[in-house]
Amino acid sequence: MRRTALLLLAATALFSTPLAAQTGKPVFAPWGVDLSAADASVKPGDDFWSYVNGGWAKRTDIAADRTFVGIDSVLNDQIDRDVHAIVEDMAKNPAEAGPIGQQVGDYYASWMDEARVDALGTRPLRPYLARIAAVKSRTGLIDLFAATGYQSPIGAAIFPDLKDPTHYAVYIGQGGLGMPGRDYYLLQGAKYDAFRKAYRAYVTKMLTLAGVPAAPARAARIFALETAIAKVHWTPEQQRDVQKSYNPMTRAQLAKFAPQIDWNRMLDRSGLTKVDGVIIGEKSAVQAEAKLFAAIPLQTWKDYLTFHFISDHAATLPKAFDQARFDFYSRTLRDVPTQRDRWKRGVDMVNGALGEAVGQIYVQRHYPAESDRQMGELIANIRAALKDKIDQSSWMDAATKKEALAKLDAFDPRTGHPANYIDYSSLKVDRGDLFGNAIRSEQFDWDLSLKRMEKPVDRTLWDMLPQTNNAYYDPTQNQITFPAAILQPPYFDPNADPAANYGSIGATIGHEIGHGFDDQGRQFDGSGKLRDWWTAESAKLYDQHAQALVKQYDSYEPIPGTHIKGQLTLGENLGDLGGLEVAYAAYRRYVAEHGEPPVVGGLTGDQRFFIAYGYSWQTKYREGAIRERLLSDPHSPAKFRVNGVVRNMDEWYKAFDVKPGDALYLPPEQRVHVW
């Protein structure tokens, strides 16, 4: 339910001629937007994304260490540099930085000390692998499945209870795969055969590097086990069904549901001794995986645990382990030829372990209070526009509108950073023990979840770091969250043209609020409770709109032979379309108050609004990365988050004089309108 950040375009310095810099040389706005990005040879009605971004796409290559290039990669690089400066300062002067600085600096220093990591070799692994080797029964396997750091075919997590979001619940669901999803094991064709062959080779290499004998035979058995798991997994589309994924069971019911698992032992060993029951997600998959647990030989499970422990911690082991993991997951699966610089990966690791400690310093250095005020104004305007949309909705009856307005009124926007930061003081960080730091960090995170579970849900907690270039909606709390890192140029600038503000960051706000009314979010009420508040007639009309959008996106084929999954991406597509509709309405409210904007560079305000939205998705992917997205990610690729949206908006047709015969043209009766 997350939405990638959007570009904020300074359209007041746009183009001297409509959409193209005729000199052939890049033209930049004052804060760095390349104004020659457009391709004037493309009609907006044929391919709006290329009309806006085609020139940039032709001349821009993806960096060797990245899966994509675009607006986000530019800001991500800047955030990396900002955070790098923080952790370098802490590493150089840990004693002067106080307790937080000491932890941050020591963790980063332990990562950067490659010589020590290589010198230690596999010694850090040995106690953990010995624990696996010592297992003599399936009871011992249960103990390891419950232990932090070890893989499990059945996963456990702690989140607010969907039907009582003021309290936490334990969720149990399918898991256990080493490749990104079930399709990598099951789809037919030479490409997937090659992935499977490479994965078996990777498993073999990891076991061999760790000194495990008979690695090829063990790898074959591990792969066969994971293939069996993949066959019983729910598809990503099935997993999106929030109603079917909510199945509360007591401990006694669990024992009858999947008797092959000693659930009492697993829960107790996980620290969940006070938990009387759990919520099962993918029922048939969990039940089938429990049967596999009983049927697969004990030694195969031990080999499986051994491989996954090594693979999951490869980055903290000598270079050969780290490189092998990169070669498979990045080079083979995502077509990335080069490993990222170590300092950049160190930034990621420190963010993962001590993220809010770093974020606290990041906010002090890089987040002005004025950003909060400006965002508050934008959000208020978007909410007012959505209220109007709900009031005027032709497919919502009075009873449903009343509930929808109550949900909108209860909506809770948050910007910048959490009110209170995580206290990491109990996490031991050793400057000379990278592997141990990683293990202790994993345990700290789980212990923190256990501690939180004892109390009512704290609505001030954040699921993203302040230094994250992204935003999200949480249906259980009815909140949107915009971290500090997204609220800066080129995404957010108080001096930008209002048309650009509303077409970019405004569409992001609309998208996140819109998640509260997408196909899954609409099933939660204003308090965050999973509750059906729709009348049957309104729900029927909503579903008709949604399925029409599914059909549109099913037809898109970003790479030959692989289409977008319309049902999987439905929530995000609804968010994109509804978000832009609401952002446009908010922009027109602004215009009504302040007057029609002037034509700038040959472009009207409405044209600049849609161009800003198109620029916000200036992104190119590697084929392997886009394939993984198409198979398992609920977000459509960037080009289709533009073309698939604007072709449904009547205002876009008027702004760019799109006519029948243009490739993106849809007859009015085929256009989908969320609002």
Side-chain angles (χ1 to χ4, degrees), residues 393-578:
S393 173
S394 62
W395 50 268
M396 273 188 178
D397 58 26
T400 307
K401 285 182 180 181
K402 182 178 179 181
E403 289 272 10
L405 290 171
K407 181 169 186 175
L408 180 62
D409 186 59
F411 181 78
D412 178 19
R414 308 182 305 173
T415 57
H417 56 87
N420 301 295
Y421 293 95
I422 293 172
D423 178 4
Y424 294 98
S425 59
S426 62
L427 173 59
K428 178 186 175 183
V429 178
D430 185 332
R431 200 174 182 89
D433 184 16
L434 173 62
F435 185 90
N437 289 340
I439 295 292
R440 288 187 291 272
S441 176
E442 293 174 33
Q443 188 64 53
F444 175 87
D445 288 343
W446 180 247
D447 289 345
L448 182 60
S449 292
L450 293 176
K451 178 187 271 188
R452 288 174 174 172
M453 192 172 183
E454 298 173 356
K455 302 175 183 178
V457 171
D458 182 352
R459 289 177 53 85
T460 69
L461 299 176
W462 279 40
D463 292 332
M464 277 186 184
L465 303 174
Q467 62 273 30
T468 301
N469 171 25
N470 213 326
Y472 72 94
Y473 173 74
D474 181 350
T476 67
Q477 306 304 303
N478 199 24
Q479 294 172 327
I480 60 166
T481 302
F482 285 82
I486 192 177
L487 303 179
Q488 59 180 311
Y491 298 110
F492 178 72
D493 190 309
N495 299 313
D497 175 21
N501 274 326
Y502 282 93
S504 53
I505 199 70
T508 308
I509 298 167
H511 174 103
E512 297 304 344
I513 295 176
H515 272 315
F517 302 93
D518 71 19
D519 64 313
Q520 298 303 311
R522 75 178 186 85
Q523 300 181 62
F524 295 81
D525 66 17
S527 70
K529 183 183 297 184
L530 182 61
R531 177 176 70 85
D532 186 3
W533 49 269
W534 294 66
T535 65
E537 185 61 26
S538 289
K540 180 181 178 181
L541 292 172
Y542 181 97
D543 289 339
Q544 289 175 359
H545 284 72
Q547 289 310 304
L549 201 63
V550 169
K551 185 177 180 180
Q552 284 185 19
Y553 278 81
D554 277 341
S555 71
Y556 302 143
E557 189 176 6
I559 56 177
T562 307
H563 288 248
I564 293 176
K565 297 179 178 181
Q567 194 64 48
L568 172 61
T569 58
L570 177 58
E572 296 299 329
N573 298 335
L574 286 167
D576 287 341
L577 177 54

Side-chain angles (χ1 to χ4, degrees), residues 52-304:
V52 176
N53 300 302
W56 167 86
K58 291 175 182 176
R59 68 170 184 263
T60 305
D61 294 324
I62 301 172
D65 63 347
R66 282 198 177 275
T67 59
F68 75 100
V69 65
I71 296 304
D72 279 335
S73 65
V74 173
L75 184 53
N76 289 343
D77 286 345
Q78 180 59 53
I79 295 167
D80 280 349
R81 290 191 290 270
D82 292 340
V83 175
H84 183 219
I86 293 170
V87 297
E88 282 282 1
D89 288 349
M90 303 301 104
K92 290 175 183 175
N93 302 292
E96 298 177 12
I100 291 176
Q102 182 82 47
Q103 287 177 300
V104 170
D106 286 350
Y107 206 117
Y108 181 70
S110 74
W111 167 262
M112 293 303 294
D113 192 351
E114 293 180 82
R116 178 165 178 77
V117 172
D118 285 338
L120 287 171
T122 60
R123 273 181 283 168
L125 272 178
R126 293 172 191 170
Y128 298 91
L129 301 190
R131 184 178 176 186
I132 299 171
V135 169
K136 303 299 183 185
S137 67
R138 292 181 197 275
T139 297
L141 289 179
I142 291 289
D143 291 347
L144 289 182
F145 291 162
T148 302
Y150 290 93
Q151 178 69 283
S152 172
I154 298 172
I158 298 171
F159 295 111
D161 189 327
L162 299 188
K163 293 194 175 181
D164 180 12
T166 63
H167 293 88
Y168 289 103
V170 177
Y171 291 82
I172 301 292
Q174 67 184 33
L177 300 181
M179 287 197 283
R182 68 191 300 275
D183 285 347
Y184 284 84
Y185 295 84
L186 306 180
L187 289 180
Q188 299 303 303
K191 175 68 72 172
Y192 298 98
D193 289 341
F195 288 153
R196 290 185 279 268
K197 181 179 179 181
Y199 183 56
R200 290 194 297 272
Y202 169 66
V203 177
T204 300
K205 185 164 189 175
M206 280 301 199
L207 294 174
T208 302
L209 286 172
V212 178
R218 294 174 193 263
R221 291 192 292 270
I222 292 167
F223 180 77
L225 168 57
E226 291 189 19
T227 301
I229 292 173
K231 288 179 179 177
V232 303
H233 267 203
W234 285 18
T235 66
E237 297 94 320
Q238 290 173 311
Q239 288 182 284
R240 290 194 68 250
D241 191 323
V242 67
Q243 296 288 352
K244 291 182 179 178
S245 299
Y246 187 89
N247 305 286
M249 294 187 188
T250 65
R251 289 193 180 212
Q253 289 171 325
L254 274 173
K256 295 179 180 178
F257 170 72
Q260 300 86 356
I261 301 288
D262 185 343
W263 294 101
N264 285 331
R265 188 178 186 94
M266 179 175 277
L267 291 172
D268 291 349
R269 290 301 177 99
S270 297
L272 298 165
T273 54
K274 297 179 181 179
V275 172
D276 295 324
V278 303
I279 297 169
I280 298 291
E282 307 86 356
K283 285 181 67 177
S284 63
V286 171
Q287 203 165 38
E289 288 189 272
K291 292 177 181 177
L292 286 173
F293 169 72
I296 299 296
L298 179 67
Q299 185 57 51
T300 300
W301 281 114
K302 292 171 65 174
D303 294 339
Y304 166 90

